[in-house]
Amino acid sequence: MGKSYNTIAFDSAKCDGCGDCMTACATTKTGTDDKTRSRIQIVGSEADGFELALCRQCGDPKCVTVCPAGALTKNFDSGVIDWSDTKCVDCLLCTVGCAYAGIALDAGTGHVAKCDTCEGAPACVPACPHDALTYITTSRIYNEVGDWEDLFAPGLAGCQGCNTELLMRHTLRRVGPETVLATPPGCVPGMGSVGFNGTTGTKIPVFHPLLTNTAAMLAGVKRQYKRVGRDVTALAIAGDGGASDVGFQSLSGAAERNEQILFMVVDNEGYMNTGMQRSSCTPYGAWTSTTPIGQGTGGMPSQGKTQDAKNLPLIMVNHRCEYVATASTAYMEDLYDKLDKAIAASKRGFAYLHVYSPCTTGWRFPTDQNMEVARKAVETNFVMLWEYNPTDGLHFTHSADEPLPVTEYLKAMGRFRHLSPDQISHIQGKVVENLAFVKQMAHREN
Amino acid sequence: MEQTKYLVVGSSHAALEAVTAIRMHDTEGSLTLLTRDTHLPYSPTVLPYVVSGRSPADSIFLRDEEFFEANRVAYKRGSALKALHAERNTAELADGSEIAYEKILLATGAAPAIPPIPGLDQVTYHVLRTLDDATKLNAAIKQSKHAVVLGAGLVGMHAAENLVKAGASVTIVEMAKQLTDGYFDATAAQMIEKAFTDNGATILTGSRVVKLAPSAIGALLTLENGTTLEADLLLVATGVKPNMDYLEGQGEGVEHERGILVSDTMQTNVANVWAAGDCAQAKGFYTEDKVMNAILPDATEQGRIAGMAMAGDPGVKAYPGGVPLNTYHFFGRHAISVGSSRVPEGGEVVTRFDEVSGRYLKAIFKDDRLLGIYGVNEFFDGGVMCQLILRRVDLSAVKERFLADPLTVGRELMSRIWR
Ligand SMILES: Cc1cc2nc3c(=O)[nH]c(=O)nc-3n(C[C@H](O)[C@H](O)[C@H](O)COP(=O)(O)OP(=O)(O)OC[C@H]3O[C@@H](n4cnc5c(N)ncnc54)[C@H](O)[C@@H]3O)c2cc1C
Ligand code: SF4
């Protein structure tokens, strides 16, 4: 298993070229405020946008291979390319090797200089007043999780680029082998997790309840395990249709009885497995096979779904569950944090996790755009990340202030391509209204 | 007979990169690294710093035994390839033993070319290519009072500077009309020459040594014009020639001219035989003709490609052709050259020289594409420039700004084009 490392990420859309990061770097590394000596260099202009020249700490670094003195080495613990001032002979060959201007001459010392991420606390990142720089520490998860067993069989038949497969593999790895999994009709069993020809698609017990009775059956299974004295995590991975439509009564009932189960909803905003029909979680304006785009009837053109989505996680908060949270695979650290809390809560009572899961096939975006779509949903507040427990109430886990316009999200996929300006302003209005609503709850619960 | 899947000959840049590339794709196949050197791998490029004493001889190694163990590489040092028997996939070593290989890489680099000057074989002289050469020269420099360096290429110039700094009176004799011919242009060479003469060195360009004879302190040199020079230390640095003696007498074997001829994936004309680095003659970037481009960055690039091709790595990309790249430090100043110095028909040359700061820049364009860029005391990112050349980036929109500030504008282009 390879190793993953923390990294400095740059969002050029947020950068206004102020140069505070360069000043911070120069101050930390050279004791001067000479920006030319900063190891992070912002280049470009207001008109063309700002870009970054910074060591990428390459996995297969060219600077290391061309250094004749053995002065540069990839540190496999930190991921950083270390430079040794005692071995370096100032030949500058590394600057010829690097195609990214990641290592350059520091005129102040006469030696080359490069980013060393300040030993894991880069000075540039907190100096940025616009959050254009972030220090991504998600690698911790991959390094840890990489060693855990993947409890789904290899070769599940999900669509190319499926976010749901990513999510369920992460989830089961974390929840672990002492688990019983219930997964009602939907993409999760559809891609083979319940198995074929008498073998299961998981390495743990799995069963395939009806859409209508998932939470009830799982609650019963959990009670039986308790009766025989075995501690297992009772986990449901259900689609939004199965949870918010026909499965809702059993879900609500189990939550009301505070059954000790962890119920995860994979919300891809429709019945994608059976041909992309609308569900009560499908957002307003979205194309689905049952909310088509076309001439319509009676002079009323059909322009996608005409109702707003049901906010299932907020409904679950009103059950006063042990734990309720929303999450996104674009924010893995947050997701893992919530998984940990949900697992713990499920030992006491009902835990509910609602994960937004972009669907490349049903939402119509290229298969490599999954994370981008998931991230844009959060950045525009179309999706908000928060958590709730009865003691601390509801609070945001990702700032909902300064969102991007919702069009940034809508234009990332085909299912909203037909939207009229009126429909877009309706959606933007809903985003604002939803935010106000959740904020109010956050306020009240606190 | 000893058998190995991959036999890599040489233990310097080209060979080491090939080993890395092979192991990226084939973690198991048996791999033997054979070198005539007796040390752990090191770079010839670092040797001037061993000569000056800046780099202790025991701290320059690029790999250690642990690396070879961890990567399951059999490192056989002090054993030279004597003859290649490609027709039966075996390599004959100096001690007469043989190794059977499935695939072989010839990464034997180059050695000093010794000019045929009468009497040279009668006197003691130094060369600089191996660590042992460097240690010897390091000891000799401390004793020297009158040193002569033959050849004003980068190797000779480096050593000359070391000698000057060690306090010897130094004379550099160069056949060509200018110093560092082929690396830097006349203006840059002038700046380099001035730095040397300011520091007390004597420079004789356009001069040729015609005769040598032993003398009381070492050697007596006679120049073409009849003048004589006496040296207690003589360094011959008149160029290099590829190590490929082992191809002699093989009949119809591996094709070679100035170097071993290779394809875009570093394969020779003979099955299972690859070559890379200073001993290889591969496609040039500016010409389809096969050229010698004996520089470190190219040795790593070629070694990488050869290793990938040998291991059957599907990610292997064809060699784009050699681009000259040089960096040179002299008396606290630096010079960088990237790309071609030749101005083709219809080409455009732009120069800028600031007497006060001593900053010099020269760029060569054709059809608004960069062909070469040179700087003295003017820092720009050589790696970025090289990409602009390789990608033939159209610079028409930014040319003036680029010439005024190649560092910043190069980075801007980089971050847009291949970020
Ligand atoms: C003093 C000096 C300064 C330099 N400075 C620069 C610089 O600033 N920039 C730059 O780009 N380049 C520079 N170079 C050139 C650079 O070092 C070479 O281009 C580079 O080392 C080539 O690598 P290589 O692997 O092809 O061959 P080499 O480095 O020549 O290595 C050849 C290897 O093959 C082994 N070998 C040779 N023959 C046999 C045989 N018959 N059997 C077994 N093993 C054999 C040798 O022991 C050695 O390990 C410099 C060279 C010197 C000598
Ligand atoms: S400048 Fe220093 S770090 Fe860079 S290649 Fe030369 S010796 Fe190595």
Side-chain angles (χ1 to χ4, degrees), chain A residues 63 66-69 71-72 83 87-94 103 112:
Chain A
C63 59
V66 299
C67 174
L72 292 164
W83 172 76
K87 286 192 169 184
C88 179
V89 296
D90 301 328
C91 70
L92 299 184
L93 271 169
C94 48
I103 184 160
V112 291

Side-chain angles (χ1 to χ4, degrees), chain A residues 51 60 65 90-91 95-96 99, chain B residues 17 54 304 327 329 383 415 418:
Chain A
E51 292 289 351
D60 183 15
T65 67
D90 301 328
C91 70
T95 72
V96 175
Chain B
E17 274 307 293
R54 174 166 177 174
R304 167 67 56 109
T327 59
H329 247 270
S415 61
W418 60 90

Side-chain angles (χ1 to χ4, degrees), chain A residues 167-185:
Chain A
L167 171 65
M168 56 202 243
R169 287 191 189 274
H170 273 283
T171 302
L172 211 51
R173 271 191 149 118
R174 175 63 194 93
V175 179
E178 291 299 310
T179 301
V180 176
L181 175 65
T183 178

